[in-house]
Amino acid sequence: MTEPSCPDLSVVVPVHNEADNILPLIEEIAAALDGVVPFEIVYVDDGSNDATAHRLAEARARFPALRCVRHRTACGQSQAIYTGVLAARGTWIATLDGDGQNDPADIPALLTRLRDEEKRTGLDAARLLIAGHRQKRQDNELRRLSSRIGNGVRAWLLNDGTPDTGCGLKLFARSLFLKFPRFDHMHRYLPALTLREGGLVVSVPVNHRPRERGMSKYGVWNRLWVSLFDLVGVMWLQRRARNPVLEQQD
């Protein structure tokens, strides 16, 4: 895999203490996209204190298309994604979690759906967000239950029409993401923020795998309370959105 001079797609992967998952996931991403589209892989090390940085350096020697950014201290998943998108050179961004539960083999299907929806709707593809919808969740019952409740409440209050906003696998234009207001935990509300910009969200069934290495960094309760405050904030943003229709531009 050689480094493309001008990649079409940037795969952004935020990680925190995922040393054992670094190389296996990069190998899968490279295999899934080889010959499909010119791509780069952008890893954002969010202040890891294990061997993540060392594993990334090892992987960089093998995969020239891999680029690495590191936060001095942990800033959270949303900031890590934002940092990765800023560093990305591709027109299109695919995000996935660094724990190996998202399947990189699903990314080509998201790219195909993006092109199909552009033809079907007549919308500029830069206004589309393709969101993964995890099938046969490989999490414990408590996490699945909390996810169902959270998705139901969010969909009711925000009307974003997305069954699974918690899925880390998403595809969107870099230019669209940079229009979004920036706040902590914003990665959970990308569908609602896309609609706020006058865009369209399409959900696509994707694979979900059990975590084979490492430990989860996000519990049920540490997500529940911040989500309540975030929902109020995103509702406020939605109600103050204005999307003018241009009649003329010289």
Side-chain angles (χ1 to χ4, degrees):
M1 182 180 68
T2 59
E3 181 179 8
S5 58
C6 186
D8 292 336
L9 176 70
S10 297
V11 181
V12 174
V13 187
V15 289
H16 177 75
N17 291 347
E18 294 287 358
D20 293 337
N21 284 308
I22 297 298
L23 190 57
L25 186 56
I26 292 173
E27 290 174 339
E28 285 191 287
I29 296 170
L33 295 176
D34 186 30
V36 175
V37 63
F39 70 96
E40 65 177 1
I41 306 171
V42 181
Y43 260 71
V44 181
D45 179 359
D46 186 32
S48 297
N49 54 23
D50 66 350
T52 291
H54 181 63
R55 295 289 183 268
L56 284 170
E58 292 178 336
R60 183 72 178 87
R62 286 185 53 189
F63 297 93
L66 173 64
R67 301 170 59 222
C68 305
V69 185
R70 175 175 167 82
H71 292 163
R72 179 175 297 178
T73 58
C75 298
Q77 189 172 355
S78 285
Q79 181 57 58
I81 292 173
Y82 188 86
T83 295
V85 173
L86 283 181
R89 298 176 298 170
T91 301
W92 307 102
I93 304 292
T95 62
L96 71 161
D97 294 336
D99 57 12
Q101 290 194 266
N102 297 141
D103 191 345
D106 285 318
I107 297 177
L110 268 61
L111 288 165
T112 298
R113 188 62 179 269
L114 178 76
R115 293 189 287 266
D116 290 346
E117 289 297 322
E118 182 180 35
K119 293 176 183 177
R120 185 184 69 84
T121 64
L123 284 175
D124 183 351
R127 296 175 61 191
L128 300 173
L129 183 143
I130 310 299
H133 179 193
R134 292 167 290 184
Q135 307 296 298
K136 298 180 180 179
R137 290 280 301 273
Q138 300 298 310
D139 291 319
N140 61 48
E141 184 58 35
L142 180 59
R143 288 187 66 123
R144 292 198 298 268
L145 176 61
S146 67
S147 180
R148 284 197 296 270
I149 294 173
N151 278 317
V153 172
R154 188 213 66 257
W156 174 52
L157 293 175
L158 300 182
N159 194 30
D160 60 9
T162 306
D164 185 14
T165 61
C167 180
L169 188 55
K170 294 182 175 68
L171 176 68
F172 47 84
R174 181 177 184 270
S175 59
L176 174 65
F177 182 90
L178 294 178
K179 293 179 181 178
F180 296 158
R182 179 179 162 196
F183 56 93
D184 200 11
H185 308 292
M186 67 174 287
H187 68 279
R188 298 187 186 123
Y189 298 95
L190 297 187
L193 296 174
T194 297
L195 296 177
R196 181 178 182 269
E197 292 294 331
L200 175 68
V201 180
V202 178
S203 293
V204 176
V206 296
N207 188 26
H208 191 242
R209 309 183 295 190
R211 176 187 266 274
E212 296 182 356
R213 296 166 291 269
M215 297 178 62
S216 175
K217 314 303 184 297
Y218 306 99
V220 174
W221 299 109
N222 64 358
R223 292 184 298 173
L224 175 61
W225 299 113
V226 295
S227 295
L228 295 175
F229 292 102
D230 292 339
L231 272 171
V232 174
V234 176
M235 291 170 64
W236 184 89
L237 287 170
Q238 280 184 322
R239 289 179 176 143
R240 281 149 183 81
R242 294 293 183 269
N243 291 297
V245 178
L246 300 182
E247 290 187 343
Q248 180 178 342
Q249 179 174 336
D250 295 329

